[in-house]
Amino acid sequence: MISAYFRNNAADYKKMCAFHLLVARGIRSYISTILFAAVAVAFLVPGILLKSAEFCIGAAVLAALAAAWPFIFVAFQNSRVTKLLRANPEYEKTEQFFSFDENGLSLKLRRAGREEAHDIPYDKIARIYERRDRFYIYIGVSQALIVKKADIEEGKTDELAFLFRTTGKRFREKKKLRRKSEKES
């Protein structure tokens, strides 16, 4: 059995939200950027052919907007997250206790003197992403649990990754993070 602990905090939540927006959602997050870039090219081509400064300036503005759009999107999202956290002062007081075994994970939430427990089998987990310092365990389309590797109290990161492999392609493992000893076995 592997156990871990996580206490909610705003910085980790914002980091997870940025990951969700820029990585987990995939191409859907970049549709606007792609459209801005495509329209910039559509302006640039006639601008060059017609030697039109207006088209070239319009293309440059759209290209700059395309490049900045993901950062703007994250800034808006962080603003929204800050507002949500102000509305829920107990968020940062919530503690999560995880236990992982071959069947799934057990989660105990503790906040404001109340406790609730949930058992989540691996086949009910939508997706798991491994990052350099944490795992994001998606238990819904946009609802994720954060497990920091440094906060694994019992067991090892490689053992946890081994358990997550039972989810098949839903586990987006960073194989370069595995230890050499595991690769040899």
Side-chain angles (χ1 to χ4, degrees), residues 90-101:
E90 289 192 15
Y91 175 80
E92 293 197 83
K93 297 175 186 171
T94 302
E95 297 175 294
Q96 300 174 27
F97 301 88
F98 298 93
S99 294
F100 300 91
D101 62 25

Side-chain angles (χ1 to χ4, degrees), residues 81-136:
V81 165
T82 301
K83 206 182 285 185
L84 285 171
L85 292 178
R86 264 192 252 126
N88 183 4
E90 289 192 15
Y91 175 80
E92 293 197 83
K93 297 175 186 171
T94 302
E95 297 175 294
Q96 300 174 27
F97 301 88
F98 298 93
S99 294
F100 300 91
D101 62 25
E102 59 276 348
N103 300 316
L105 73 97
S106 295
L107 171 64
K108 183 169 60 169
L109 297 171
R110 185 182 301 154
R111 66 178 165 257
R114 296 184 320 262
E115 282 190 18
E116 45 182 277
H118 304 276
D119 289 322
I120 306 168
Y122 290 126
D123 63 345
K124 299 294 183 196
I125 293 174
R127 191 162 314 273
I128 303 169
Y129 289 93
E130 181 178 16
R131 309 307 300 153
R132 181 181 44 79
D133 60 341
R134 64 193 67 217
F135 293 99
Y136 293 126

Side-chain angles (χ1 to χ4, degrees), residues 29-83:
S29 294
Y30 297 97
I31 298 285
S32 299
T33 300
I34 293 166
L35 289 173
F36 285 132
V39 174
V41 170
F43 271 62
L44 185 61
V45 170
I48 291 172
L49 293 175
L50 300 172
K51 296 181 181 171
S52 169
E54 292 85 9
F55 275 104
C56 290
I57 291 170
V61 169
L62 287 169
L65 189 56
W69 192 252
F71 301 105
I72 294 168
F73 214 48
V74 168
F76 280 130
Q77 181 179 20
N78 281 342
S79 172
R80 232 177 31 227
V81 165
T82 301
K83 206 182 285 185

